[in-house]
Amino acid sequence: MAEKKKFNVEYEVKSSPKILFGFLSEPNGLAQWFADDVTYRDQLYTFTWDGEQQKAKLLSIKENKLVKFKWIDDEPHCYFEMEIIQDELTNDVALAITDFATEDTIAERKLIWDNQIQYLISVLGA
């Protein structure tokens, strides 16, 4: 089985870190753009797409800054992280995504993130 490698993508988001953070960390926020449905119980987030469920554990969270998840059934070194970066001079806000994929699926994964983040931006009305 091919080993998964880390990759990063970054998007400009016209939103305040505080508002954006709610969409990255709260089940009802995540359910508006990331998955069809999201529930949180016993330290586990359950994401549902087309009736298929995937569970993720919250590895770390920093208020208005960062959320890091790990899929329960993923390889030990893998995780996905959404970090809010704000430029101190311009106050521009960017969303940096760190994820893992095999060499031959990285392009596809990036495309999925592109689509998800475009959708998030439209939900934010940004």
Side-chain angles (χ1 to χ4, degrees), residues 21 60-68 81 83-84:
F21 186 73
S60 72
I61 186 162
K62 292 187 188 123
E63 187 76 23
N64 301 335
K65 185 92 186 107
L66 173 144
V67 200
K68 184 174 179 178
E81 182 179 272
E83 183 182 4
I84 300 166

Side-chain angles (χ1 to χ4, degrees), residues 79-123:
Y79 60 87
F80 71 98
E81 182 179 272
M82 299 181 277
E83 183 182 4
I84 300 166
I85 299 163
Q86 188 165 27
D87 186 297
E88 288 176 12
L89 292 175
T90 62
N91 277 335
D92 287 347
V93 173
L95 181 59
I97 308 291
T98 304
D99 198 359
F100 286 78
T102 54
E103 202 68 69
D104 55 348
T105 59
I106 282 182
E108 192 185 324
R109 292 285 317 154
K110 283 183 176 175
L111 205 59
I112 291 170
W113 279 112
D114 287 351
N115 290 331
Q116 301 289 85
I117 302 302
Q118 284 311 312
Y119 191 49
L120 169 61
I121 289 169
S122 72
V123 169

